[in-house]
Amino acid sequence: MVAKVLIVEDDEALRESLALALRTCADPPMEVLIAGDGKEALRIVEEQGDINVAVVDIFMPGVDGIEFIRMVRKTPHTLNTLAISGGAVHIHSNYLKSARFLGAAAVLTKPFRMAEFQDAVKKLLNATPEAAKE
């Protein structure tokens, strides 16, 4: 069975780079889905239903990463979430802590190495999905 990973990132170049990094991972094979914002990502989660990992940028227009995490936890879908954010570390680290508190299984601060990103996703693919709901 091929794992499904959803990348939710409003920066198109970064979104495509992350998707390429995962698509070129040979082990395990992954189907990579992409969304430009949280609203589109929620629609994909509802349509696909069996996503294993969501990689979610915290700061996006419309439905941001924090809201995505909160909303997906209210659905019957179980998936592990990797929250990512960058910029001013002291500001963004608080948001990453909030994401973790709300149910993100892991966090990464931008910029990160692609190998670090790939390892984080692989680790979450092997972890039990976060089943706790609000």
Side-chain angles (χ1 to χ4, degrees):
M1 187 166 130
V2 175
K4 286 187 183 179
V5 179
L6 172 61
I7 298 174
V8 189
E9 169 64 60
D10 61 321
D11 180 317
E12 183 179 1
L14 179 56
R15 183 174 64 238
E16 292 301 327
S17 293
L18 296 175
L20 181 61
L22 294 182
R23 288 181 180 126
T24 58
C25 281
D27 184 36
M30 296 175 221
E31 178 182 347
V32 181
L33 308 166
I34 57 172
D37 60 42
K39 184 176 181 181
E40 181 182 6
L42 289 167
R43 181 186 55 76
I44 291 170
V45 168
E46 285 303 314
E47 289 175 1
Q48 296 287 323
D50 58 349
I51 295 170
N52 304 95
V53 173
V55 177
V56 183
D57 185 24
I58 295 297
F59 292 101
M60 297 180 289
V63 177
D64 65 18
I66 297 288
E67 189 65 15
F68 171 84
I69 293 168
R70 285 184 59 246
M71 293 173 80
V72 82
R73 286 181 51 99
K74 292 179 180 180
T75 72
H77 306 291
T78 57
L79 53 93
N80 281 323
T81 304
L82 170 61
I84 60 174
S85 186
V89 175
H90 65 282
I91 294 171
H92 291 266
S93 68
N94 288 333
Y95 287 100
L96 288 173
K97 286 178 186 174
S98 294
R100 191 69 177 216
F101 177 77
L102 291 170
V107 298
L108 276 179
T109 302
K110 297 176 193 173
F112 45 77
R113 295 183 345 261
M114 282 301 169
E116 182 182 15
F117 169 70
Q118 290 168 320
D119 288 345
V121 171
K122 288 178 187 180
K123 183 183 253 185
L124 292 178
L125 286 172
N126 293 320
T128 303
E130 294 293 328
K133 300 290 181 182
E134 288 182 12

